[in-house]
Amino acid sequence: LTQISRRLYSRVASRSTATAITSKEKNKMTAGKINWTKISAKPDPQHGAPCSRSSHGLSISPDGSRVFLYGGEHVARTPLEPSQSLWSCDCENNEWSWRNLSAAIGSSAPSPRVAHAQAIVNDRVYIFGGRSGISMNESPLNDLWALDTSDGVGNEKWVGPIEPSTSSSSDEPPEHRSFHKMISVGTDLYVFGGCGSSGRLNDLHKFDTIHQTWSNLGKAHLLKGRGGANLIYLKDGHCLIVVAGFVGSESNDGQKFILSTEEEEKGTWDDSLLEGLDNLRPRSVCISASFHHDDAATDDNVALIFGGEVNPSELGHEGAGGFENDLILLDGKTGALKETIKAAEEKNWPEPRGWSDGTSISTADKGRSLYLFGGLTGDDQNPKRLDDFWCCDIKM
């Protein structure tokens, strides 16, 4: 009986080991499809390169030739000087070069700000809100501006503030806020959550850039108000998802907003929380993106989250908490967690960070790419703002 038991134990152990090896190999195979490259861009001949920063915005042009960096803080809670606020990194013949746009555009620009939200629609980079004061409820903003890039390199100009249409179909603009999220879907902008004068918010608003009208889409009734959430468009699911964010502590819950249909003209919040997020480490102020281009090289649409703050700072915004640099893959239809990819030790990989921003592009010839710049790392004793620029090519 003892010998039989030992044989059975031996077989079970062998199967467990084989399963573990298979799982490990699978992780290596997935990580092998993730390729990070640190971009060393040439400095602007007169103005150098952007300073290190956090709480900024990043957007890539539809053709992938320009990445626009705006706003943020080099010193905690203090908006950057106008001369450092706006940059473009231009790609020509696979070489990147920084270009300072603030100097060329001059004074016709938004007021300096930190923790705004940013998204691109065609040839316009939109920014909304943020704050220009030091404390959370000091000088919050709810203005909407657009950087018009339609006239090409060297001819960018600010348009704004953009006032909503006086049409009766337009709702009031969202209240003043910072640390919110904004994404574009077609020619519409969606704004979610953030920190307002009255506290953390959980509301969703849409801005129609064609008719210049705001629509109040209601509150995510199952979620607490939050700053630093992820707002992600899932084309396959015909929905937006809100994932994680800071609610007084780091969170990992989420809710779906079903986009407009014939029955629901404005769309509607789902009546249940997102499933499949239990194993997501709670976090906030991450970078998130989805890949859903019609001409993408693969039909396996995915969404992703990079890094973020996983332990809040004891010093608040003056310090630096605990950060991650993992890559989270979410199902492109349901938003459920598919895989957590840890930094590959043998490869170049961005260091852990939060309070950063990223932008993504998906094309048939270039595949899927995520770009990120800067952010906050370190700890409460040694907070450090970053000025590194990375590209992640995803072959999945």
Side-chain angles (χ1 to χ4, degrees):
L1 183 62
T2 303
Q3 290 179 346
I4 293 173
S5 298
R6 286 175 178 171
R7 289 174 184 171
L8 288 173
Y9 176 81
S10 177
R11 290 176 184 174
V12 172
S14 296
R15 289 173 185 169
S16 298
T17 302
T19 302
I21 291 173
T22 302
S23 177
K24 189 174 182 179
E25 288 176 347
K26 181 181 178 181
N27 278 338
K28 285 187 175 181
M29 289 174 62
T30 305
K33 297 178 181 179
I34 305 297
N35 183 44
W36 285 100
T37 303
K38 188 174 183 180
I39 299 174
S40 297
K42 295 179 180 178
D44 182 303
Q46 290 184 315
H47 305 283
C51 67
S52 56
R53 66 189 66 196
S54 59
S55 305
H56 51 282
L58 199 71
S59 300
I60 190 168
S61 62
D63 64 358
S65 66
R66 288 179 283 177
V67 174
F68 299 98
L69 169 67
Y70 176 72
E73 59 196 347
H74 178 67
V75 176
R77 305 184 301 164
T78 304
L80 289 169
E81 293 293 327
S83 62
Q84 266 289 331
S85 63
L86 181 62
W87 296 79
S88 175
C89 202
D90 307 328
C91 185
E92 185 174 0
N93 299 322
N94 293 320
E95 292 188 354
W96 291 88
S97 301
W98 285 111
R99 185 163 49 93
N100 185 302
L101 301 186
S102 300
I105 291 176
S107 60
S108 179
S111 60
R113 65 194 63 204
V114 62
H116 69 286
Q118 183 170 317
I120 192 166
V121 175
N122 297 325
D123 51 19
R124 284 192 165 195
V125 180
Y126 289 86
I127 68 164
F128 176 79
R131 56 187 173 89
S132 57
I134 292 178
S135 66
M136 191 63 70
N137 60 357
E138 182 183 354
S139 303
L141 301 165
N142 74 335
D143 52 345
L144 180 68
W145 290 73
L147 180 70
D148 186 348
T149 70
S150 59
D151 290 337
V153 174
N155 297 300
E156 297 88 352
K157 58 182 179 294
W158 284 110
V159 176
I162 299 172
E163 299 295 337
S165 169
T166 57
S167 166
S168 59
S169 62
S170 181
D171 293 329
E172 289 295 315
E175 69 176 88
H176 301 64
R177 65 191 64 204
S178 57
F179 298 109
H180 48 297
K181 190 69 175 180
M182 181 168 72
I183 63 172
S184 62
V185 178
T187 56
D188 294 330
L189 298 169
Y190 290 87
V191 176
F192 175 80
C195 301
S197 298
S198 59
R200 300 184 187 95
L201 305 168
N202 63 348
D203 53 344
L204 180 67
H205 301 260
K206 182 181 80 170
F207 184 75
D208 180 333
T209 64
I210 303 300
H211 300 98
Q212 296 193 349
T213 55
W214 282 104
S215 298
N216 186 335
L217 304 180
K219 296 181 179 181
H221 56 287
L222 300 179
L223 300 180
K224 294 179 180 179
R226 59 196 60 205
N230 299 289
L231 180 63
I232 304 172
Y233 170 50
L234 301 183
K235 182 178 180 180
D236 286 355
H238 190 64
C239 66
L240 310 178
I241 57 172
V242 175
V243 179
F246 190 76
V247 299
S249 59
E250 310 294 355
S251 69
N252 68 346
D253 55 352
Q255 191 174 354
K256 177 192 302 184
F257 181 84
I258 303 168
L259 293 172
S260 61
T261 62
E262 292 183 2
E263 294 76 20
E264 290 284 351
E265 184 179 349
K266 282 191 173 183
T268 183
W269 286 101
D270 197 20
D271 286 331
S272 58
L273 291 172
L274 281 179
E275 297 181 352
L277 295 177
D278 292 346
N279 292 324
L280 172 66
R281 186 176 184 184
R283 64 189 66 208
S284 64
V285 290
C286 319
I287 294 170
S288 55
S290 60
F291 297 97
H292 47 76
H293 195 284
D294 291 336
D295 298 325
T298 173
D299 294 328
D300 184 19
N301 289 335
V302 296
L304 59 83
I305 295 172
F306 173 78
E309 181 185 78
V310 292
N311 292 308
S313 167
E314 294 182 359
L315 300 178
H317 206 61
E318 289 287 346
F323 302 103
E324 261 288 5
N325 64 342
D326 52 1
L327 195 63
I328 308 296
L329 300 185
L330 303 176
D331 185 273
K333 186 173 184 179
T334 67
L337 175 64
K338 293 182 68 174
E339 189 172 358
T340 298
I341 305 171
K342 293 292 185 179
E345 295 179 359
E346 70 277 10
K347 290 188 174 183
N348 289 328
W349 200 284
E351 64 185 290
R353 69 192 66 202
W355 313 91
S356 180
D357 199 25
T359 183
S360 62
I361 189 169
S362 180
T363 60
D365 56 337
K366 295 182 180 179
R368 301 168 170 184
S369 298
L370 172 72
Y371 293 84
L372 68 85
F373 180 89
L376 180 66
T377 191
D379 53 34
D380 280 345
Q381 287 69 44
N382 297 289
K384 177 185 177 184
R385 286 176 172 80
L386 302 167
D387 62 357
D388 49 350
F389 185 30
W390 290 82
C391 174
C392 180
D393 293 314
I394 303 168
K395 308 296 183 183
M396 304 182 72

